[in-house]
Amino acid sequence: MKIVLNNTNKELVNKVIEYGGKRVYECFQCGMCASGCPVASDTDHKIKRTMHQVLLGLDEQILDKKAIWLCTTCFMCLERCPQNAGPTEVVFALRRISAEKGIIPEAQIEVANNIYHLGHAVTVQKGIKLREKVDAPPLTTAGANKKYIHEIQKIVDSTHAGLLLKIRKDWKPKGDDVIACD
Amino acid sequence: MSLHATDYALYTGCIIPLRYPDIENSIRETMSLLGVNVYDMLGAGCCPPGGAFWSVEEMSGLVQSARNLSIAESMSKDVMAVCNGCFCYLKNSNMLLKSDQEKREKVNTVLNKIGRKYQGTISVYHLVEVLHDHIGIEKIKQSTKIKLDGAKAAVHYGCHLLRPSDHLMAENPEKPHKLDALVEALGMESVYYPKKLSCCGAGGGMRGNNPDVTLRILEKKLMNIKYSEPDCIVTACPFCFLQFDLGQKGLRDRGEDFCIPVFYYNQLLGLSMGLPKKRIASLSETPRDGFIKKFYGVD
Ligand code: SF4
Ligand code: SF4
């Protein structure tokens, strides 16, 4: 592959900066980020390479591969980066760009729909049964009352998340498994 | 320091109230015995987590966090978060909104539609900070009846209690000590193991997106933990707890031998105070009864 450095696609890096990866230009490719990354050796998500690809404008290589969705958001790279280039923030920015193109994994869609319809990332009925089993006091959080869930729906509807996370009005939870969270 | 060091708005999140309500009981009951009052945040929703809303649009994460923070503000109480993810995203939102007027105004235009307002009047703490910094090790030592002499614990801090440290400021991110000190206050030894600060492999949507990878990362973490032959794993995050609890079951289902008892810190604290196992430590897929029998002498 041939990369012409003085003619790179600046669109990607500008968008990454706009979407939160403000210090991406600081990266000097030392590799500290990848050395502490829990997924680097087991997945296609190579954070040092991703930083470089952003600077080189290789958006297709990043977005098509979907590897950015394998980041656990552990912030180890961001914590240890000697340049404070904020690699985790770059991952978040790339996810936002990816979501705008409609590329987003099922787990994210599922958990967002849970939150939108139930007020919580996980299903509520199973939780209420478990609460009874251990004599926990009645649930008082959003999941306990439709009026709170309507509040959450109203504020989410004021953002673009409904579209980006493919929130469906006729949605039914797939099951009681905890699929994704922080 | 906090508004009132003995009064907190209890932000329970999603996993604790709906999957491990025994952990919620353990928090409520131990805090009460330590003279700390916790108050319910009526109608609090998901924090929300980084894996979903924050990953697609900052504003969609911010408005939901701000709604939760506004509930605590209306109670004039600081928030005590009992999950690392909740702590990280609520504290981060609180800092962003306190410092960025433009974002605050945007958020309040949205919150106005549901009759709420973010004002920036409270702080967010993690339970570990409340226990260690506000209550103190001495008081915790005095509150226990049963000492866990001879028990060895592998402490897992979890990512979002430590990082990003310049926002969270809860611990030294490379050399944290608070949870270790809390564990040792119960009479246990907190043992060294390699890569103690590394991720459990659950976050960011990983558990849902890629079950194979999530278990592989967990397996590495557990291999490091096994190196020190602990009697149990202790954490103060329900999502890490879930990953260790259900994840070890997942690994056992694949024929692997991982069966280390896992506890949320307040479950051990509660057992040490003499609270009943049924209410505070009875829900888990990875068995804990052997540990409880051996060190507390109860069935
Ligand atoms: S992001 Fe930071 S740690 Fe990673 S390669 Fe660039 S400068 Fe080094
Ligand atoms: S935040 Fe993501 S990219 Fe950075 S170290 Fe953690 S898993 Fe790797």
Side-chain angles (χ1 to χ4, degrees):
Chain A
M1 184 177 51
K2 190 175 157 199
I3 298 165
V4 183
L5 283 174
N6 59 4
N7 192 21
T8 50
N9 164 15
K10 284 272 183 321
E11 224 173 277
L12 180 65
V13 76
N14 289 338
K15 211 140 202 201
V16 162
I17 290 169
E18 186 191 336
Y19 282 15
K22 293 192 184 67
R23 294 180 54 87
V24 62
Y25 272 124
E26 300 300 320
C27 174
F28 60 8
Q29 286 292 293
C30 67
M32 189 71 173
C33 49
S35 74
C37 174
V39 305
S41 55
D42 287 291
T43 72
D44 277 344
H45 180 51
K46 314 285 185 199
I47 184 63
K48 171 186 171 233
R49 187 194 297 164
T50 305
M51 296 295 283
H52 202 195
Q53 285 170 326
V54 170
L55 295 174
L56 293 175
L58 302 174
D59 51 353
E60 281 169 19
Q61 288 193 21
I62 300 172
L63 302 178
D64 291 354
K65 246 188 175 172
K66 298 192 192 167
I68 44 169
W69 298 97
L70 294 173
C71 164
T72 66
T73 69
C74 76
F75 292 105
M76 191 65 105
C77 52
L78 178 139
E79 191 69 43
R80 290 187 176 166
C81 171
Q83 285 290 91
N84 197 15
T88 317
E89 284 162 358
V90 172
V91 171
F92 272 99
L94 289 167
R95 285 180 171 196
R96 288 167 187 165
I97 294 166
S98 173
E100 274 188 2
K101 293 184 189 289
I103 308 170
I104 185 164
E106 253 331 286
Q108 262 72 13
I109 297 175
E110 198 57 28
V111 85
N113 273 284
N114 272 350
I115 294 169
Y116 186 85
H117 292 280
L118 309 171
H120 291 288
V122 303
T123 56
V124 174
Q125 285 315 312
K126 179 178 175 180
I128 288 175
K129 277 191 209 126
L130 289 171
R131 296 182 74 81
E132 284 165 5
K133 204 169 152 190
V134 299
D135 295 330
L139 190 72
T140 59
T141 59
N145 192 320
K146 280 231 157 52
K147 82 173 180 209
Y148 298 130
I149 296 171
H150 288 150
E151 282 186 24
I152 292 168
Q153 294 177 340
K154 223 171 182 174
I155 60 174
V156 171
D157 287 343
S158 311
T159 71
H160 302 104
L163 211 65
L164 296 168
L165 285 159
K166 308 187 181 180
I167 284 169
R168 297 182 286 263
K169 300 282 168 186
D170 62 345
W171 166 94
K172 290 265 173 303
K174 275 210 188 103
D176 288 325
D177 286 348
V178 175
I179 45 169
C181 202
D182 62 348
Chain B
M1 199 54 187
S2 49
L3 279 176
H4 308 283
T6 55
D7 282 304
Y8 296 92
L10 174 64
Y11 180 77
T12 51
C14 299
I15 308 268
I16 286 186
L18 298 170
R19 287 301 175 270
Y20 295 112
D22 55 340
I23 296 180
E24 184 178 321
N25 283 343
S26 78
I27 293 164
R28 289 178 187 278
E29 296 184 27
T30 54
M31 285 298 173
S32 155
L33 288 172
L34 288 166
V36 169
N37 305 309
V38 297
Y39 300 88
D40 288 2
M41 289 174 60
L42 301 184
C46 182
C47 48
F53 288 93
W54 289 99
S55 284
V56 303
E57 187 196 28
E58 183 184 72
M59 196 37 76
S60 72
L62 262 184
V63 290
Q64 292 180 73
S65 291
R67 176 180 172 275
N68 289 325
L69 293 166
S70 77
I71 294 173
E73 286 181 350
S74 68
M75 300 158 69
S76 303
K77 304 261 186 300
D78 287 329
V79 169
M80 179 172 81
V82 291
C83 164
N84 288 2
C86 304
F87 170 64
C88 177
Y89 288 99
L90 288 179
K91 178 146 184 181
N92 196 28
S93 304
N94 203 29
M95 287 190 44
L96 255 178
L97 291 170
K98 275 185 185 178
S99 61
D100 189 327
Q101 195 185 345
E102 202 185 313
K103 283 188 178 139
R104 192 164 64 237
E105 278 166 15
K106 266 194 195 157
V107 156
N108 274 331
T109 311
V110 175
L111 288 186
N112 192 31
K113 296 182 189 171
I114 56 168
R116 296 193 188 267
K117 187 173 182 199
Y118 172 88
Q119 290 171 301
T121 51
I122 56 143
S123 304
V124 177
Y125 296 100
H126 191 288
L127 164 113
V128 165
E129 295 178 285
V130 173
L131 286 168
H132 184 278
D133 303 347
H134 304 178
I135 295 172
I137 296 294
E138 268 321 301
K139 193 160 181 190
I140 289 169
K141 272 188 190 159
Q142 285 160 17
S143 74
T144 61
K145 294 182 185 140
I146 307 156
K147 297 282 175 235
L148 283 171
D149 288 331
K152 296 203 291 183
V155 167
H156 173 69
Y157 279 86
C159 304
H160 299 138
L161 168 57
L162 307 176
R163 303 183 291 269
S165 62
D166 57 343
H167 292 179
L168 300 182
M169 297 179 293
E171 267 284 11
N172 176 334
E174 297 292 351
K175 212 176 181 322
H177 73 285
K178 292 178 188 172
L179 192 51
D180 296 283
L182 289 166
V183 159
E184 294 195 331
L186 305 181
M188 311 173 87
E189 181 196 352
S190 169
V191 293
Y192 163 83
Y193 65 92
K195 296 205 175 177
K196 183 168 164 179
L197 307 183
S198 75
C199 179
C200 68
M206 179 67 95
R207 229 193 114 74
N209 279 329
N210 203 321
D212 283 329
V213 177
T214 210
L215 286 185
R216 231 179 303 149
I217 300 168
L218 177 68
E219 189 184 352
K220 282 189 182 167
K221 179 92 199 175
L222 287 166
M223 293 298 286
N224 283 326
I225 287 176
K226 264 194 166 177
Y227 160 91
S228 65
E229 301 180 342
D231 297 296
C232 65
I233 296 168
V234 185
T235 183
C237 173
F239 201 40
C240 302
F241 177 97
L242 181 144
Q243 172 78 339
F244 283 117
D245 182 34
L246 292 183
Q248 286 193 93
K249 180 174 186 296
L251 289 167
R252 287 198 297 278
D253 291 346
R254 297 177 177 202
E256 296 188 56
D257 174 30
F258 288 107
C259 203
I260 309 169
V262 192
F263 291 93
Y264 187 92
Y265 177 74
N266 292 55
Q267 295 185 309
L268 287 177
L269 174 60
L271 290 167
S272 297
M273 288 169 158
L275 294 171
K277 179 176 90 174
K278 179 180 179 278
R279 280 207 310 272
I280 67 161
S282 58
L283 302 173
S284 73
E285 289 293 334
T286 294
R288 300 183 286 186
D289 287 354
F291 178 96
I292 296 175
K293 172 113 183 105
K294 181 171 172 193
F295 291 101
Y296 292 106
V298 289
D299 282 310

